[in-house]
Amino acid sequence: MKRILLLHTGGTISMSTDQTTGDVRPSSENPLHHYQHLFGEAVHVKAEDLFQLPSPHITLKEMTAMKERIERAIETGEADGIVLTHGTDTLEETAYFLDLTLHASIPVVLTGAMRPADSIGADGLLNLQAAVWTAMSEEAADKGVLVVMNEEIHAARHVTKTHTTNVATFRTPTFGPIGILAKNHVHFFQKLVEREHFPVDTIRHTVPLLKAYAGMESQLLEAVFQMKPDGLVIEALGAGNLPPAVLPSLKKFLENDLPVVLVSRAFNGIAQDIYDYEGGGRQLKQAGVIFAPGLSGPKARIKLLILLEQTKDPKEMANCFE
């Protein structure tokens, strides 16, 4: 019999609807505690409440606590797989944090819901069932941290929330899901070519995230520089370009050995140093900007925060991103 540790952290999957106002809010009791029968007789699910937080309330402190609880479960051998329920707004960031920091020998799966537990067509129970079945799969053990939603299995590294309300919100742009569920059968057809692991106990640095736009002013970067951050992530235009007006302010970050990581604000594709003009990616990379192909802005920020705990060497950081 498989043993699955089910860790609840809150989110829509554990919320209900006020019948008078229609507002969605946390329930007094987690409704997911009463569904052992969903998983079948071949598994024992041990449920535990870590938090009861909406996902916008999740910080790196809570992510670290999740990591530590999973590590204890692995070290003591109390589970054959881990499932975390999580709010969808920041689920992809938690998943990627865990993917980078856990050295997991067993499957680790995150899931959530787009509809509260008491709504018509609630998706939480189906997602939870699929997540547990995935965590029971022997094949899931070597795939990194996984996100299971809407009967699809995604790698934490690339998955993102793409719709504010649709149950099919979690997608993997450019690369696609790595597996699917058909009834209670788990089918994998892709895996990441390489995995990364960075041991961290705490995150002590500050990294803001900015999004570039047409006519972007230098004052915004100046204000961020005055915050004395430890680094900066920018969602750049196109393949990785910036308006020339921000370049003098950007230069201040680089001259002070503050890492600047560039991703694309585009939904699909990867950031590349293609264009050789003022503000173009080729000149930005030559100036010392680090390109992070295939990562979103929020995930590049998570990775930079973790790397800052490992090294201050710009070349080493660049190698870890590229």
Side-chain angles (χ1 to χ4, degrees):
M1 178 177 287
K2 291 283 187 178
R3 300 161 302 149
I4 302 298
L5 177 61
L6 174 58
L7 302 174
H8 296 301
T9 68
T12 300
I13 194 169
S14 62
M15 294 184 185
S16 57
T17 308
D18 186 294
Q19 298 304 312
T20 302
T21 65
D23 297 334
V24 177
R25 55 172 62 100
S27 305
S28 57
E29 181 186 3
N30 192 330
L32 299 176
H33 286 170
H34 309 290
Y35 293 101
Q36 173 71 28
H37 64 280
L38 287 176
F39 312 122
E41 297 181 356
V43 60
H44 173 72
V45 177
K46 174 187 175 184
E48 184 177 314
D49 288 324
L50 286 184
F51 318 109
Q52 180 67 352
L53 294 173
S55 59
H57 295 193
I58 296 290
T59 69
L60 287 159
K61 177 183 176 182
E62 285 77 29
M63 294 181 197
T64 302
M66 295 179 218
K67 166 187 168 289
E68 291 172 348
R69 180 64 185 95
I70 294 169
E71 287 176 335
R72 288 200 305 274
I74 294 171
E75 290 169 4
T76 60
E78 68 176 289
D80 302 305
I82 308 289
V83 173
L84 289 93
T85 62
H86 194 291
T88 59
D89 286 353
T90 60
L91 185 149
E92 64 197 79
E93 289 164 85
T94 295
Y96 189 50
F97 175 85
L98 295 174
D99 190 58
L100 289 175
T101 59
L102 279 173
H103 188 62
S105 55
I106 60 176
V108 177
V109 182
L110 278 77
T111 193
M114 294 302 293
R115 297 170 180 166
D118 59 348
S119 70
I120 296 175
D123 56 326
L125 291 182
L126 183 61
N127 287 338
L128 179 58
Q129 184 184 61
V132 169
W133 285 342
T134 302
M136 293 169 60
S137 170
E138 299 288 343
E139 290 185 76
D142 64 346
K143 302 293 192 299
V145 173
L146 303 173
V147 173
V148 173
M149 296 280 291
N150 203 41
E151 298 183 315
E152 292 184 339
I153 306 169
H154 297 265
R157 182 174 178 178
H158 297 301
V159 71
T160 189
K161 185 175 182 177
T162 65
H163 196 285
T164 57
T165 56
N166 196 298
V167 295
T169 181
F170 278 89
R171 302 288 189 183
T172 298
T174 302
F175 307 105
I178 66 169
I180 60 171
L181 289 105
K183 295 189 181 294
N184 63 338
H185 297 289
V186 179
H187 302 278
F188 287 100
F189 45 81
Q190 289 191 65
K191 69 176 181 179
L192 291 177
V193 175
E194 57 182 350
R195 297 268 310 280
E196 298 176 290
H197 175 241
F198 304 100
V200 295
D201 296 319
T202 185
I203 301 294
R204 298 164 293 183
H205 297 85
T206 301
V207 174
L209 169 62
L210 296 179
K211 189 166 190 171
Y213 51 87
M216 189 177 188
E217 306 88 349
S218 63
Q219 291 93 327
L220 189 56
L221 267 72
E222 289 287 344
V224 172
F225 183 76
Q226 294 304 317
M227 294 168 52
K228 299 182 178 180
D230 301 295
L232 175 66
V233 175
I234 303 177
E235 292 187 359
L237 306 172
N241 313 300
L242 292 174
V246 307
L247 299 182
S249 300
L250 185 68
K251 187 177 179 181
K252 290 185 179 180
F253 284 83
L254 301 173
E255 289 176 341
N256 284 272
D257 296 322
L258 296 173
V260 177
V261 175
L262 215 67
V263 302
S264 174
R265 73 175 195 180
F267 184 75
N268 276 295
I270 62 174
Q272 301 177 81
D273 57 320
I274 297 174
Y275 290 97
D276 190 5
Y277 54 72
E278 187 181 14
R282 181 59 56 87
Q283 294 189 15
L284 293 175
K285 189 168 185 179
Q286 290 172 349
V289 173
I290 298 170
F291 277 64
L295 288 182
S296 66
K299 288 182 180 177
R301 175 181 172 270
I302 291 287
K303 187 169 185 178
L304 181 54
L305 284 165
I306 291 170
L307 287 175
L308 284 165
E309 300 294 335
Q310 314 289 317
T311 181
K312 297 296 188 293
D313 185 343
K315 290 185 178 179
E316 192 172 346
M317 283 189 187
N319 289 337
C320 289
F321 274 104
E322 298 176 11

